[in-house]
Amino acid sequence: MKKELVTLKKIAQILDLSTSTVSRALNDHPDISEATTKKVKQLAQSMNYVPNIFAKGFRKHRSNIIGVIVPNITHYFTTTMLRGILEEAAVKGYRVIISESNNDVLKQTEMLNTMMQFGVDGILASLTKMTRDIDNILPILNKVPLILFDKVSNKIPCTQITINDEEAAYNAIEHLINIGKKRIAIIKEREFSYTSEKRFSGYLKALKDHDIEIDEKIIISVDDISLIQGKRMANHLLSIKKRPDAIFAITDSAAIGVIQTLKKFNINIPEDIAVVGFSNSSHSTIIEPKLTTVDQPGEKIGKNAVKYLIEEIESTTDILTNKMIEIKGNLIIRDSTFKV
Amino acid sequence: MKKELVTLKKIAQILDLSTSTVSRALNDHPDISEATTKKVKQLAQSMNYVPNIFAKGFRKHRSNIIGVIVPNITHYFTTTMLRGILEEAAVKGYRVIISESNNDVLKQTEMLNTMMQFGVDGILASLTKMTRDIDNILPILNKVPLILFDKVSNKIPCTQITINDEEAAYNAIEHLINIGKKRIAIIKEREFSYTSEKRFSGYLKALKDHDIEIDEKIIISVDDISLIQGKRMANHLLSIKKRPDAIFAITDSAAIGVIQTLKKFNINIPEDIAVVGFSNSSHSTIIEPKLTTVDQPGEKIGKNAVKYLIEEIESTTDILTNKMIEIKGNLIIRDSTFKV
DNA sequence: TATTGTCACGCAAACGGTTGCGGGAACGAT
DNA sequence: ATCGTTCCCGCAACCGTTTGCGTGACAATA
């Protein structure tokens, strides 16, 4: 396991130069002559020199590592964002360390702290659902750049990247209206969730714009938006006297639960009740009928998050940036709302 | 962004001790009296001291980072392994940096090298399909501990962790035989793949043990095992004169493709043709009929991989370990083979 | 010739923590 | 009184790289 390290000193000795000259040559410092620079670089190359990352970080207080925290790494959409993050970080010369909070607020703040201690240059976080107390997160802000993505919170003064939930939801509802639906239910989250609220307001706005009555009886809020809850709420919606003719679940998994119970009761989709979800998860083309949903360009979100984070990291100014970036999601129309 | 660092020196000054004493106190060195140790630890705690990771790594040549390389981060099974890896690494005090090779051999070796340069303490790798030339990987072995998981290769002399593919496949086939199937097709990979071969040999052994004729016409090999290939091969299997009465796809996605085309041709599952997959992906309960498949305990694999890796990292001896660890997978019987 | 400027490079300190070695104090044994 | 031990602790070197400052050589300018 012992390895003869190739260091600046060694190169300097061979070339009869000082380590500082070698260092500067490798970093293209203008003080060093072209000839020397070339000579040094060639030897370094041939000796397979790699700078000692610790010594470097030690001196420069830079790790070239960014930390990423996500609630649940097994969600398909999350992995697409991670893919974007990894790719963009790689081209920018950053490494990525990932942690999973399991939607546990305590774990989340613990991870934030661990990452800070560890010396990451910046943090990308997708918050847990119930992140109500911001007090644990605020201290981070003036120690290391932080950017929120996907699951964000407007209470935290930092730049945030999401998809245009409101507009996307608006489009989804408008689509339902266009195919003739007049009584559209929504299944959303009860606990305050930034994205849920955004999608809900898109829903409301679309109904208003089209002069459709808003009925609270078909506005369903659940604690955790999941497949099982989708099934339960579909059961509930079927039991009320004036049944909806369309259901918008703000999550694909809930939408799939809805579809499964509608099928159990032999309800025609989309003729009797149309269903639309949100995420374009990989499940949405496996379920039958295939699910109409909003595609979220995860890779794009990930890439953008990294781009803005590195911008902050490498910026010399110390001001807290506070941009809101929205990435456009696209409605994908499939069999659950439209039969050819 | 500037932050007053709390260093050993500062603590030493306050307590009128030397930095070495403080350092030793914090590391429970026996040379330091209990009283001093306690005093130092208390102050360090109250001052919120965190050791500078770079200085530490610089001295000790230890980063407490392990690198993980996977072919595709968006596969559900992969994420479950990652979850196990992250969890186990966290409790052991290690950070994890993740890279995605996208099944690109060049990228894979590049990543291995990058990670090494970066100073990871060890590497966990799940290989790309076509990793034929081991030459790029072998040099890694005597520089940093390497462990393969899931997608392994017996050509590389290092410890490897998989599920017991052969036995699991054997059980799956035996199950098909037990429900009365006598002509069982398999869809496997053409390119040499360790897991595919293992599953195939489990298939062969089960057939032999039950005196069932092996017919090469229903042993299908494909380049890339995918949903689309599943569809194609199902079409092919339906076209031959002696149709199979069961299809074992060595991958859930292929199995789902099979189910979709069988349904298209109104073939009863499982009465006419039963289907079993492998992975217990999240799709397997969305598809209808629900898919019988082998559950792979991803978290367990991940945790074990980390455990063995850290063992190697922290071992003083330099011998290359070369264990083969098999984690047991469980057959999960669902509607695609068994109707209640 | 004297002064100033530029170029190309070396010296040495600094980053924060670890560790081999050495040394003083206290104490018991001789 | 001397010696040997043991217990605690400090000194200083060291890890590899970066960087402010200094310097000698040489050319340009006055």
Side-chain angles (χ1 to χ4, degrees):
Chain A
M1 201 106 354
K2 274 281 141 289
K3 212 60 227 171
E4 281 313 309
L5 269 283
V6 182
T7 70
L8 285 187
K9 204 192 291 178
K10 223 161 268 169
I11 296 180
Q13 278 177 351
I14 296 177
L15 256 42
D16 200 30
L17 289 169
S18 73
T19 59
S20 45
T21 303
V22 176
S23 168
R24 281 193 256 255
L26 292 173
N27 292 323
D28 288 314
H29 194 285
D31 262 12
I32 308 301
S33 72
E34 221 172 292
T36 310
T37 300
K38 196 175 155 194
K39 212 167 53 180
V40 169
K41 283 192 176 176
Q42 276 182 351
L43 183 62
Q45 174 79 18
S46 76
M47 289 179 72
N48 229 311
Y49 167 77
V50 286
N52 182 310
I53 198 84
F54 298 111
K56 203 172 201 166
F58 184 31
R59 276 289 313 192
K60 316 249 289 188
H61 290 282
R62 269 289 183 76
S63 59
N64 274 42
I65 303 181
I66 66 184
V68 176
I69 300 180
V70 294
N72 187 325
I73 200 179
T74 68
H75 286 163
Y76 177 76
F77 173 56
T78 300
T79 61
T80 61
M81 293 191 296
L82 287 178
R83 169 175 282 170
I85 289 172
L86 291 176
E87 200 175 324
E88 184 69 14
V91 307
K92 292 277 176 69
Y94 281 75
R95 249 70 41 178
V96 177
I97 77 180
I98 296 176
S99 284
E100 188 182 18
S101 68
N102 284 318
N103 266 319
D104 179 338
V105 185
L106 262 65
K107 254 193 180 174
Q108 180 177 264
T109 68
E110 189 190 316
M111 283 168 178
L112 284 168
N113 288 321
T114 309
M115 286 191 169
M116 279 218 22
Q117 291 177 22
F118 190 69
V120 297
D121 291 342
I123 296 178
L124 247 38
S126 187
L127 299 178
T128 68
K129 285 180 200 167
M130 322 280 196
T131 309
R132 308 195 72 96
D133 48 343
I134 313 298
D135 304 344
N136 300 321
I137 298 180
L138 291 178
I140 304 289
L141 285 176
N142 32 14
K143 295 193 182 172
V144 64
L146 171 68
I147 284 188
L148 301 181
F149 67 102
D150 189 37
K151 311 283 184 204
V152 303
S153 159
N154 46 9
K155 290 184 190 166
I156 301 176
C158 67
T159 101
Q160 327 219 343
I161 299 174
T162 51
I163 76 156
N164 56 346
D165 289 285
E166 188 170 340
E167 190 183 333
Y170 185 97
N171 292 339
I173 302 301
E174 200 166 43
H175 163 66
L176 288 172
I177 295 169
N178 287 340
I179 61 171
K181 301 300 183 180
K182 302 196 177 325
R183 188 163 167 76
I184 302 169
I186 181 172
I187 302 179
K188 67 183 191 68
E189 278 181 295
R190 170 177 298 130
E191 287 293 329
F192 182 81
S193 146
Y194 184 86
T195 53
S196 176
E197 288 304 306
K198 283 284 180 188
R199 291 172 195 175
F200 182 46
S201 73
Y203 164 85
L204 291 176
K205 191 184 277 184
L207 292 187
K208 275 182 198 149
D209 284 1
H210 289 271
D211 291 321
I212 295 184
E213 180 205 11
I214 291 163
D215 181 357
E216 297 222 347
K217 280 195 281 303
I218 55 173
I219 295 175
I220 313 287
S221 296
V222 295
D223 281 334
D224 64 314
I225 191 92
S226 62
L227 194 144
I228 297 168
Q229 287 289 3
K231 283 187 177 180
R232 283 213 192 106
M233 295 308 125
N235 266 306
H236 170 68
L237 283 169
L238 290 178
S239 73
I240 65 180
K241 47 183 178 292
K242 277 186 67 182
R243 278 187 184 176
D245 55 9
I247 300 176
F248 172 42
I250 67 155
T251 272
D252 272 3
S253 54
I256 285 170
V258 169
I259 288 182
Q260 288 180 340
T261 70
L262 294 188
K263 280 167 77 176
K264 208 174 79 184
F265 287 103
N266 288 320
I267 290 169
N268 290 325
I269 305 171
E271 293 82 359
D272 299 340
I273 298 181
V275 180
V276 13
F278 207 110
S279 275
N280 193 24
S281 75
S282 58
H283 294 169
S284 55
T285 56
I286 303 291
I287 188 76
E288 238 162 283
K290 294 191 172 112
L291 182 63
T292 292
T293 184
V294 175
D295 179 57
Q296 306 183 87
E299 288 192 42
K300 204 168 167 188
I301 292 179
K303 282 187 185 179
N304 268 278
V306 171
K307 222 163 59 185
Y308 282 100
L309 182 64
I310 291 181
E311 213 166 79
E312 278 196 37
I313 289 173
E314 295 182 347
S315 126
T316 50
T317 65
D318 229 32
I319 45 142
L320 295 180
T321 57
N322 200 341
K323 298 178 197 165
M324 301 294 290
I325 290 109
E326 293 199 336
I327 307 290
K328 215 170 142 194
N330 296 309
L331 186 67
I332 297 191
I333 299 170
R334 298 206 185 91
D335 303 340
S336 74
T337 62
F338 189 74
K339 202 146 261 175
V340 276
Chain B
M1 202 103 352
K2 273 282 141 293
K3 211 59 226 170
E4 281 314 309
L5 270 283
V6 181
T7 69
L8 284 187
K9 205 192 292 179
K10 222 161 268 169
I11 296 180
Q13 278 176 350
I14 296 177
L15 256 42
D16 200 31
L17 289 169
S18 71
T19 59
S20 47
T21 302
V22 176
S23 168
R24 283 192 255 255
L26 292 174
N27 292 321
D28 287 315
H29 194 286
D31 263 10
I32 308 300
S33 74
E34 221 172 292
T36 310
T37 301
K38 195 176 156 195
K39 213 168 49 181
V40 169
K41 283 192 175 174
Q42 276 182 351
L43 184 63
Q45 174 81 15
S46 74
M47 289 180 72
N48 228 310
Y49 166 78
V50 287
N52 182 310
I53 197 84
F54 298 111
K56 203 173 203 163
F58 184 31
R59 278 294 313 192
K60 316 248 287 189
H61 291 279
R62 268 290 183 77
S63 59
N64 274 42
I65 303 180
I66 66 184
V68 176
I69 299 180
V70 294
N72 187 326
I73 199 178
T74 68
H75 285 162
Y76 176 76
F77 173 57
T78 300
T79 63
T80 61
M81 293 189 297
L82 287 177
R83 167 175 284 170
I85 290 172
L86 291 176
E87 201 175 324
E88 183 70 12
V91 308
K92 293 277 176 67
Y94 281 75
R95 250 70 43 177
V96 177
I97 77 179
I98 297 176
S99 284
E100 189 183 17
S101 67
N102 284 318
N103 267 318
D104 178 339
V105 184
L106 262 64
K107 254 193 176 174
Q108 179 177 265
T109 67
E110 189 190 317
M111 282 168 176
L112 283 169
N113 287 322
T114 309
M115 286 191 170
M116 278 215 26
Q117 290 178 21
F118 190 69
V120 297
D121 291 343
I123 296 179
L124 248 37
S126 186
L127 299 178
T128 67
K129 285 180 202 168
M130 323 279 195
T131 308
R132 306 195 75 96
D133 47 344
I134 312 299
D135 304 344
N136 300 320
I137 298 179
L138 291 179
I140 303 289
L141 286 175
N142 33 13
K143 294 192 182 173
V144 63
L146 170 69
I147 284 188
L148 301 181
F149 66 102
D150 189 37
K151 311 284 184 204
V152 304
S153 158
N154 46 8
K155 290 186 192 164
I156 302 177
C158 67
T159 101
Q160 326 220 343
I161 299 174
T162 52
I163 75 157
N164 55 346
D165 289 285
E166 188 171 338
E167 189 183 334
Y170 185 98
N171 292 337
I173 301 302
E174 199 165 45
H175 163 65
L176 288 173
I177 295 170
N178 286 341
I179 61 171
K181 301 300 184 181
K182 300 195 178 332
R183 187 163 168 72
I184 302 169
I186 183 172
I187 303 179
K188 67 183 192 69
E189 278 181 294
R190 171 177 299 132
E191 286 294 327
F192 181 81
S193 146
Y194 184 86
T195 53
S196 176
E197 289 303 306
K198 284 282 181 189
R199 291 172 197 175
F200 181 46
S201 74
Y203 164 86
L204 291 177
K205 192 183 279 185
L207 293 188
K208 274 181 199 149
D209 284 2
H210 290 270
D211 291 322
I212 295 185
E213 179 206 12
I214 290 163
D215 180 359
E216 296 222 347
K217 280 197 280 306
I218 55 174
I219 295 174
I220 313 285
S221 295
V222 295
D223 280 336
D224 64 315
I225 191 94
S226 64
L227 195 144
I228 297 169
Q229 287 289 5
K231 283 188 179 181
R232 281 212 194 110
M233 294 309 124
N235 264 305
H236 169 70
L237 284 169
L238 291 178
S239 73
I240 64 180
K241 46 183 178 289
K242 277 186 67 182
R243 279 188 185 177
D245 56 8
I247 300 176
F248 172 41
I250 67 156
T251 274
D252 271 4
S253 52
I256 285 170
V258 168
I259 289 182
Q260 288 180 340
T261 69
L262 294 186
K263 279 166 79 176
K264 209 176 77 183
F265 287 102
N266 288 320
I267 290 169
N268 290 326
I269 307 171
E271 294 82 358
D272 298 340
I273 299 181
V275 180
V276 12
F278 208 110
S279 273
N280 194 23
S281 75
S282 58
H283 295 168
S284 55
T285 56
I286 305 292
I287 188 75
E288 238 162 283
K290 296 190 170 111
L291 182 64
T292 291
T293 183
V294 175
D295 180 55
Q296 306 183 88
E299 289 192 41
K300 203 169 168 188
I301 292 178
K303 282 188 185 180
N304 269 277
V306 170
K307 223 163 57 183
Y308 284 99
L309 183 64
I310 291 180
E311 212 165 79
E312 278 196 37
I313 290 173
E314 296 181 349
S315 129
T316 49
T317 64
D318 228 32
I319 44 140
L320 295 180
T321 58
N322 200 341
K323 299 177 197 166
M324 301 295 290
I325 290 110
E326 292 200 337
I327 308 290
K328 214 170 143 194
N330 297 309
L331 186 67
I332 298 190
I333 298 169
R334 298 208 185 91
D335 302 340
S336 73
T337 62
F338 190 74
K339 202 146 259 175
V340 275

